[in-house]
Amino acid sequence: MSALTQNIDISNDITSVTKISAQARIDYILRFSKQAILVIDESVEQNATISNQLLASLPEQHNVAYVALSSQFNNIQIRCRVIEQLYTGELFDPEISLAVSVINLAKKSQQSISIVLDSAQHLSLQVMHELTQLALIAKKANLVVNVVMFGSLQSGRNVAVNKSLFDNKLSLLSSQSGQLLSTTSAIFKKNRTTWALTKRNKWLLGAVLFCLAISAVVINLLQLDSFNFTQSISALKPEKVSLTETLEQPQTMVLDALDALDDTTLKTVTSKESAIPEDIYSLLVNPKTSVMKKELPLPATPLDIIYAITIEQTDSAAENVSLVKPKIDKIEVKATEVELNLVNNFLVDNNFYAAKAGYVIQLSAFSDLTLPPKYLAALATIEYHIYQRQLNDKPLMVITSKVYTDKASAQVALSSLPESLLSRQPWIKPTSVVNNEINAFQLSQ
């Protein structure tokens, strides 16, 4: 990938690769190789720290463009933001490649240019190729154009997949070890699983489960009596009646319920008439189904009436008792007043840095202002200000000192800070970088 060194992969063995400062490696590449640089790290905070150090180390005469990218930016918006920060008021065509627009404008001003892009994983392949071409053309034209991008591991994988476009044009750098990476490094290769839950595999899995469900339903239905064909076939066969076996069985007939018979039928049944032989034989072959005689209710006794009245009175009394609702005294609960904690009530003033030129000391940066008490006590002893910037598509609050006219005054003030503030490793940054971060935050809202 780079002509400076051979292919070096990131190793889990710390002793196998000597770690160097990522900032020193960036300075070396920009001074000698003059290629575009992509710094890779999964930690957004680590990339932000290195990018801030890079911006602070640039000379004041450098023309700097800093853009914090997000997934909502398209190619035209990225080109506009880069060129507008470098050449305010200049006319340009946003559909033309950055390699052409920036080179033409750089030939007019003859000024050193530095382009720093954060969250480079949101860059399209076209814009990333334009930036690498920009650095290559500037090197051949003896122009100073530094291109440094900071991104996650996904940006490195995009370069590795399209390595033919970036061969000898882009240097991949690890922010942790400071070593150069190759496009064939193992960290850019995704682990291939034997079974991936893709759309096609989801359809196949759903079809298999559907077939299994249908099979289970069919098996259960076959086990029911309605699907037992042997019983239905046997039911169609006429039964053979043996006269001898029928005569051996006890011939008892139970009359139907007498209450369902009229007087004529009752007289016919009770009359003593001799039966015809044909009727006797038909009854022996096809006997009638016997029906149990219904039991008629007996009249109620006086004891039963008294017992029913007692039960009714008991049920009524129970219902009256259940309808009585107990009264519950209302207890008034007074809400206790909670004392508000006003220690973390900070004022964010982005306009403080607008018309000021110089240097400030960045004390710390937090996504929320829940700070330790010792740090708050030390912070109250100095003059500080707060502004907002965009980091990883989320607002970040940065605490700085007052503005100093030159860098030497800021260094003297840095050395005299309290120990609790120095423990967070504050550093010096120009107000131009602060204003660029504020502008990037305001444009992202």
Side-chain angles (χ1 to χ4, degrees):
M1 191 65 193
S2 175
L4 298 177
T5 60
Q6 296 179 351
N7 295 340
I8 300 176
D9 293 338
I10 293 180
S11 176
N12 294 328
D13 187 7
I14 300 176
T15 60
S16 62
V17 178
T18 303
K19 291 186 177 181
I20 64 173
S21 172
Q23 181 64 36
R25 177 70 72 178
I26 293 173
D27 294 339
Y28 182 84
I29 295 174
L30 294 178
R31 181 176 298 181
F32 296 101
S33 179
K34 298 181 180 180
Q35 293 180 347
I37 302 173
L38 175 59
V39 182
I40 299 173
D41 199 317
E42 285 298 327
S43 174
V44 179
E45 291 78 7
Q46 180 70 17
N47 280 341
T49 302
I50 299 176
S51 63
N52 290 333
Q53 292 177 357
L54 174 64
L55 293 173
S57 64
L58 293 175
E60 295 182 358
Q61 61 272 15
H62 260 244
N63 193 1
V64 181
Y66 174 80
V67 180
L69 302 173
S70 69
S71 58
Q72 299 177 353
F73 291 172
N74 55 31
N75 295 345
I76 295 178
Q77 290 175 333
I78 295 173
R79 294 190 190 105
C80 291
R81 296 201 177 194
V82 171
I83 298 177
E84 285 175 356
Q85 291 188 32
L86 293 176
Y87 302 99
T88 305
E90 292 287 342
L91 297 177
F92 64 94
D93 188 355
E95 295 185 355
I96 298 179
S97 171
L98 284 173
V100 178
S101 301
V102 176
I103 290 296
N104 293 335
L105 295 174
K107 289 180 179 179
K108 297 179 181 179
S109 61
Q110 294 295 329
Q111 189 178 10
S112 300
I113 298 173
S114 295
I115 300 175
V116 181
L117 301 178
D118 200 0
S119 301
Q121 64 271 14
H122 301 302
L123 277 177
S124 65
L125 190 65
Q126 179 180 352
V127 175
M128 185 177 290
H129 184 258
E130 291 176 6
L131 293 171
T132 56
Q133 287 290 106
L134 172 61
L136 181 63
I137 295 173
K139 177 181 178 181
K140 295 179 179 180
N142 294 325
L143 297 174
V144 179
V145 178
N146 301 327
V147 178
V148 183
M149 296 170 285
F150 296 88
S152 63
L153 188 59
Q154 183 60 39
S155 60
R157 287 173 178 168
N158 295 336
V159 173
V161 172
N162 304 276
K163 58 183 178 180
S164 60
L165 297 176
F166 304 100
D167 192 17
N168 295 326
K169 299 176 185 177
L170 180 64
S171 297
L172 298 178
L173 182 64
S174 171
S175 64
Q176 297 179 358
S177 63
Q179 296 293 330
L180 293 172
L181 304 177
S182 170
T183 54
T184 60
S185 178
I187 63 173
F188 299 138
K189 297 179 181 179
K190 294 184 178 179
N191 297 327
R192 294 184 177 179
T193 57
T194 56
W195 175 265
L197 199 61
T198 60
K199 186 176 181 180
R200 177 175 175 272
N201 293 336
K202 288 180 181 178
W203 280 103
L204 291 176
L205 182 60
V208 172
L209 294 177
F210 180 77
C211 293
L212 291 176
I214 294 297
S215 302
V217 171
V218 171
I219 292 173
N220 290 332
L221 292 177
L222 288 175
Q223 294 177 353
L224 297 177
D225 292 339
S226 60
F227 282 80
N228 192 351
F229 300 103
T230 59
Q231 293 184 1
S232 61
I233 293 174
S234 62
L236 296 176
K237 295 180 180 180
E239 295 182 357
K240 295 181 179 180
V241 180
S242 176
L243 181 60
T244 305
E245 295 178 356
T246 305
L247 292 174
E248 290 177 355
Q249 295 178 357
Q251 302 298 320
T252 57
M253 295 180 64
V254 180
L255 296 177
D256 296 334
L258 296 179
D259 54 355
L261 300 177
D262 53 6
D263 295 337
T264 306
T265 308
L266 185 59
K267 290 180 181 179
T268 305
V269 174
T270 55
S271 62
K272 297 181 180 179
E273 294 181 357
S274 60
I276 302 173
E278 289 81 5
D279 295 337
I280 296 173
Y281 180 78
S282 63
L283 289 175
L284 291 175
V285 175
N286 296 316
K288 294 183 178 179
T289 304
S290 61
V291 179
M292 297 300 294
K293 184 178 179 180
K294 297 182 180 178
E295 294 183 359
L296 298 176
L298 298 176
T301 63
L303 292 177
D304 295 335
I305 296 173
I306 295 173
Y307 178 73
I309 294 173
T310 305
I311 294 298
E312 181 67 21
Q313 292 176 354
T314 304
D315 294 341
S316 301
E319 292 178 359
N320 294 333
V321 171
S322 63
L323 291 175
V324 178
K325 295 183 178 179
K327 295 183 179 180
I328 301 174
D329 296 335
K330 295 183 179 179
I331 302 174
E332 296 182 357
V333 180
K334 295 183 179 180
T336 57
E337 298 181 354
V338 180
E339 295 183 358
L340 296 177
N341 185 11
L342 298 178
V343 176
N344 294 335
N345 190 8
F346 293 92
L347 176 62
V348 178
D349 187 8
N350 293 333
N351 297 327
F352 171 76
Y353 308 88
K356 294 180 176 60
Y359 296 85
V360 295
I361 303 174
Q362 178 171 321
L363 302 173
S364 59
F366 297 91
S367 59
D368 58 356
L369 291 176
T370 304
L371 305 179
K374 292 183 180 180
Y375 185 81
L376 291 173
L379 196 63
T381 59
I382 64 171
E383 178 184 351
Y384 65 92
H385 300 275
I386 302 175
Y387 72 92
Q388 288 178 300
R389 62 164 296 185
Q390 190 79 4
L391 181 62
N392 197 20
D393 294 337
K394 294 182 180 179
L396 186 71
M397 298 184 183
V398 183
I399 303 177
T400 68
S401 66
K402 65 180 183 179
V403 179
Y404 297 94
T405 56
D406 53 1
K407 196 171 185 178
S409 302
Q411 290 176 349
V412 173
L414 176 62
S415 61
S416 62
L417 289 176
E419 185 63 27
S420 58
L421 298 181
L422 291 174
S423 62
R424 294 190 176 264
Q425 299 180 356
W427 52 282
I428 300 172
K429 63 192 300 184
T431 55
S432 59
V433 175
V434 174
N435 289 322
N436 288 337
E437 294 176 351
I438 293 174
N439 293 333
F441 171 76
Q442 293 176 350
L443 289 174
S444 64
Q445 299 304 309

